[in-house]
Amino acid sequence: NAGVTQTPKFQVLKTGQSMTLQCAQDMNHNSMYWYRQDPGMGLRLIYYSASEGTTDKGEVPNGYNVSRLNKREFSLRLESAAPSQTSVYFCASSLKGWGGTSPANEQFFGPGTRLTVL
Amino acid sequence: GENVEQHPSTLSVQEGDSAVIKCTYSDSASNYFPWYKQELGKGPQLIIDIRSNVGEKKDQRIAVTLNKTAKHFSLHITETQPEDSAVYFCAASTGTASKLTFGTGTRLQVTL
C-alpha cells in the first residue's frame, strides 16, 4: 500500500495563476482532509470530505475549492493564487470522520506539497 | 471554537534524558487528544492518543497524561534517542462532528 500520495511535491506559482493539488489514498478510507501548515501555526484545516460525494469547509477555506472525485481522490484547487497561500499543504485520510474516538478516526497524512506563490 | 496551546516551541535534550511537551485546550467538551510526530520532509504520523475516560496511556518509551479538570495533557518521552528528533504536534477534538485542532508544534532535538 502506498498510503496517501500527493502531487506535486513542489510548485512555484505567480500571483493570479491557478493550480490543482492532487491527493489519492489506497486504504479504502471514507474521509479525506486538506490542511495547510505554516511556521508557528501548526496545521489548519482547509476543507474536508466526510464521505464520497460530500465536502465541507474547515477553518481556512477562503481562496480554495475542493473536489472529491471518487472515494480515492480528493483535490484542492487554487483559482487565483496569492502570496498568502504560500505554505506546505497536507492531505490526510481516515477510515471514519471524527464522529467518534475509535482507532478508525486516526488520520493518515501524505508527504505534503510545498507551494510558493511569488 | 477550540484553541490548543503547546509549549515549548523548541526543546533540546541530551540522549538518554526525558522530554516533556505540554498542551492546554479550551473546550471542555474535547475528549480525544492525539499526538503526531513529523520528521523532516514528511507528513505527521500518529504516535499515541488518549481519550477522556483515561488519565494516562503508555507505549514503550512514550506516555501521555491527561488532566481534564485543568484541561491540559502532556507527552512524555523517556530515554530519548537521536531518532526522536522531530516536530511533535498535539491536537484535540470533541469527537462528534468536530475537527482536530492542532497545537503549534514543538521541535525536539536530541543531542549526543
Side-chain angles (χ1 to χ4, degrees), chain A residues 31-97:
Chain A
S31 301
M32 298 185 74
Y33 317 83
W34 276 106
Y35 292 89
R36 61 178 289 172
Q37 183 177 37
D38 302 293
M41 302 192 73
L43 291 117
R44 293 182 293 169
L45 184 66
I46 305 171
Y47 271 93
Y48 66 98
S49 171
S51 60
E52 186 179 356
T54 69
T55 60
D56 287 285
K57 295 179 180 179
E59 185 182 353
V60 288
N62 290 347
Y64 306 95
N65 284 300
V66 290
S67 296
R68 184 73 183 267
L69 303 170
N70 47 55
K71 192 172 185 178
R72 291 186 63 249
E73 299 172 288
F74 188 39
S75 63
L76 178 72
R77 182 160 178 83
L78 287 70
E79 291 290 351
S80 179
S84 60
Q85 293 178 305
T86 293
S87 187
V88 181
Y89 291 85
F90 288 100
C91 176
S93 70
S94 64
L95 182 59
K96 289 174 56 177

Side-chain angles (χ1 to χ4, degrees), chain A residues 37 40 90 98-102 106, chain B residues 38 43 46 51 89 95 98 100 104:
Chain A
Q37 183 177 37
F90 288 100
W98 45 67
T101 59
S102 75
E106 177 182 351
Chain B
Q38 184 178 23
L46 180 73
R51 292 166 176 84
F89 291 96
S98 176
L100 276 177
T104 51

Side-chain angles (χ1 to χ4, degrees), chain B residues 35-49:
Chain B
W35 285 89
Y36 286 82
K37 176 182 181 182
Q38 184 178 23
E39 297 178 341
L40 193 63
K42 297 184 179 179
Q45 182 176 13
L46 180 73
I47 55 171
I48 194 168
D49 57 17

